[in-house]
Amino acid sequence: MNASKIICGLSAASLLGAVALTGTVWAQGAPPAAPLPTGHGPSTQEWADLAKLPDWTGIWQPDVLDQNRQARENAYPWNLQAAAEIDKRIQLEKDGKPGGSHNSCLPWGMPGFMAITHNTIEILYTPGRITILGELDGNNLRRIYTDGRKHPTDTDPTYHGHSIGTWRGAGQAATLDVDTTDILPEVEIALSEGVGIPGGDGIHVVEHMHLTSPNILVDDMEITAPKVLTKPWKTTRLWHRQRAQKYDIIEGVCLEGYFRPAKDKWGNEVFERIEHDVGGNRIPPK
């Protein structure tokens, strides 16, 4: 039956009831509304407060020469078992068979991301968080929370761990104190790109990051790894700023060099694997 004929025969009260009923039916048939968010987005003042922080914009290059100097002059306090394993891995690297996370294409994780990388980083400020992006090192991304939160009580270890930061001081001289826990035990305490051993449970990294000049960022680190180190190890890493656009970090895909462009049997563009040995060297075709 035509709905308009039914409505025409109703009284005003019945008509109102029908409209109300119809609205109820439509509401019941509609998808439920999304719940209101429990938090809030950054306020205008929170964005404005970022201008009070030291200027860490630009691209930062690690001082690799200083990394090498410290490897010679500031040795890790390995325990006996770890020292023996490190010696084996140093020899493998000399034999052209380096190991290490860098050669297996896993993320460096912490502390290697800040201590060993030879590639650039970019530091981004947003309210309540600092994000550090790494170039070429295989999914290296750190989030340092500055919103006052604590480390989680229900741990969920990751490569880069859980980092919370607190600003100390003011202006360009301010220092960012960072505490990092919940790091995967498989993450390496690395001596170089080709030599490292898993740090085990209980890896803990404390950093104090600050400018010593307009274009030099210092990261004072203290690394605790009770499974492989006899005591906490202190070291410093230097980063040099580049502001020109030509230094912008670019996309880098780990293991991309293990493939070459090709076509499948249907003519589709695909990547074809290139065989490599354990040291990363290409195996000559037979």
Side-chain angles (χ1 to χ4, degrees):
M1 183 178 292
N2 191 300
S4 61
K5 293 181 179 179
I6 296 176
I7 293 176
C8 289
L10 294 175
S11 65
S14 298
L15 180 60
L16 290 175
V19 172
L21 178 61
T22 303
T24 302
V25 173
W26 285 346
Q28 290 175 347
L36 294 174
T38 56
H40 63 85
S43 67
T44 302
Q45 185 59 52
E46 287 175 316
W47 282 107
D49 287 343
L50 297 180
K52 302 174 185 177
L53 300 178
D55 175 17
W56 289 2
T57 56
I59 301 301
W60 297 93
Q61 293 178 314
D63 191 327
V64 178
L65 292 178
D66 190 67
Q67 286 184 20
N68 295 336
R69 178 189 65 80
Q70 292 208 47
R72 295 190 304 269
E73 301 176 5
N74 182 21
Y76 280 104
W78 304 111
N79 61 32
L80 292 178
Q81 182 178 357
E85 184 61 30
I86 284 291
D87 287 343
K88 293 178 183 177
R89 300 193 181 199
I90 289 175
Q91 187 58 51
L92 284 171
E93 184 180 44
K94 291 179 178 179
D95 294 340
K97 299 178 181 179
S101 295
H102 184 78
N103 291 285
S104 60
C105 247
L106 294 171
W108 270 119
M110 283 295 293
F113 180 31
M114 302 300 293
I116 301 298
T117 183
H118 291 179
N119 296 318
T120 57
I121 62 171
E122 184 175 16
I123 302 172
L124 308 178
Y125 291 164
T126 49
R129 180 186 300 183
I130 292 170
T131 303
I132 302 180
L133 305 174
E135 180 183 55
L136 297 177
D137 279 341
N139 194 32
N140 273 318
L141 180 150
R142 288 187 73 192
R143 296 180 179 91
I144 301 172
Y145 296 101
T146 57
D147 56 3
R149 72 182 65 190
K150 305 298 182 183
H151 291 304
T153 54
D154 52 338
T155 62
D156 183 16
T158 59
Y159 284 96
H160 294 92
H162 187 271
S163 296
I164 53 178
T166 305
W167 286 102
R168 173 167 47 90
Q172 296 304 305
T175 295
L176 179 65
D177 298 324
V178 185
D179 190 89
T180 301
T181 62
D182 300 319
I183 299 171
L184 282 168
E186 295 88 349
V187 169
E188 291 182 345
I189 305 297
L191 185 65
S192 68
E193 287 191 343
V195 177
I197 56 175
D201 294 323
I203 305 174
H204 181 205
V205 182
V206 175
E207 298 166 273
H208 307 288
M209 303 175 68
H210 56 98
L211 295 172
T212 56
S213 74
N215 294 312
I216 297 180
L217 179 68
V218 172
D219 188 2
D220 295 318
M221 309 179 73
E222 181 175 289
I223 301 165
T224 300
K227 295 291 185 180
V228 296
L229 302 179
T230 59
K231 62 180 180 180
W233 182 64
K234 294 183 179 182
T235 187
T236 296
R237 290 297 182 264
L238 305 178
W239 299 83
H240 300 274
R241 176 169 18 210
Q242 303 290 346
R243 291 187 182 272
Q245 288 185 358
K246 67 179 181 179
Y247 291 102
D248 286 347
I249 63 175
I250 61 174
E251 179 181 78
V253 179
C254 197
L255 281 183
E256 188 170 17
Y258 281 56
F259 298 85
R260 65 168 66 91
K263 291 183 182 292
D264 64 16
K265 63 181 181 180
W266 297 285
N268 299 313
E269 303 292 341
V270 296
F271 285 112
E272 178 181 82
R273 186 173 181 83
I274 303 171
E275 292 300 319
H276 289 69
D277 64 22
V278 68
N281 301 308
R282 294 189 180 192
I283 298 175
K286 298 179 181 179

